[in-house]
Amino acid sequence: MQQTKTYKLNLIETSDTFSPDPLNENTEKLEAEVSAEAAARQSGDAALEARVTVLEARRFVAGTYKGNGIDDQLINLGFTPIAVLVQSSVGTWMTAGSASPGKILTIQDGGFTVGDNNGLGIRLNSLNGVYPYLAIL
């Protein structure tokens, strides 16, 4: 009895005597392959759904932080944003991109840092001050 190249299914030849065994073997092989494919798709779909849920939940995060009065307080978000807006008593401040020295608001791995004074009287980390922010992923 011959078999197919890829799945090794039994090929019944005209000279073979009829027996249900080769057909049953083919059915069992096909069922095993279809079951494995269905399981792989289900697993892949579940993983994709979990990733989409996380991404949709993290398009932006809004919150507040309490100032500690020193420069470079890290506000940990659990992800690295692409832009951050912070509201202070004198205006709204925004930053985008990586950290650079001397800035009062900078993006860091896992969140952003704020400073208390940039020499111009801008304060984003005054002791016990409460500052609302919006971080964009």
Side-chain angles (χ1 to χ4, degrees):
M1 185 171 292
Q2 294 183 16
Q3 292 184 328
T4 61
K5 289 180 183 179
T6 305
Y7 294 105
K8 305 298 182 206
L9 298 174
N10 297 316
L11 294 173
I12 300 171
E13 299 177 30
T14 55
S15 61
D16 290 340
T17 57
F18 180 76
S19 170
D21 293 339
L23 295 175
N24 289 340
E25 287 176 21
N26 285 349
T27 302
E28 289 172 3
K29 287 178 183 177
L30 289 172
E31 181 155 352
E33 288 294 324
V34 168
S35 295
E37 178 63 25
R41 285 180 185 260
Q42 187 176 20
S43 175
D45 289 350
L48 180 60
E49 186 174 329
R51 291 180 65 199
V52 167
T53 299
V54 168
L55 289 174
E56 285 178 346
R58 296 248 173 128
R59 289 189 178 156
F60 67 90
V61 173
T64 60
Y65 65 89
K66 188 174 184 178
N68 64 6
I70 62 170
D71 282 334
D72 298 327
Q73 176 183 207
L74 175 64
I75 310 305
N76 190 351
L77 300 173
F79 66 94
T80 303
I82 59 170
V84 177
L85 289 93
V86 175
Q87 179 71 44
S88 75
S89 61
V90 295
T92 301
W93 306 96
M94 178 179 174
T95 190
S98 60
S100 62
K103 284 191 170 182
I104 196 164
L105 174 61
T106 58
I107 292 174
Q108 301 287 333
D109 287 339
F112 62 96
T113 58
V114 291
D116 188 41
N117 193 341
N118 70 345
L120 301 174
I122 300 168
R123 298 183 185 280
L124 296 182
N125 197 27
S126 294
L127 184 61
N128 296 322
V130 178
Y131 300 89
Y133 67 85
L134 177 67
I136 303 167
L137 178 63

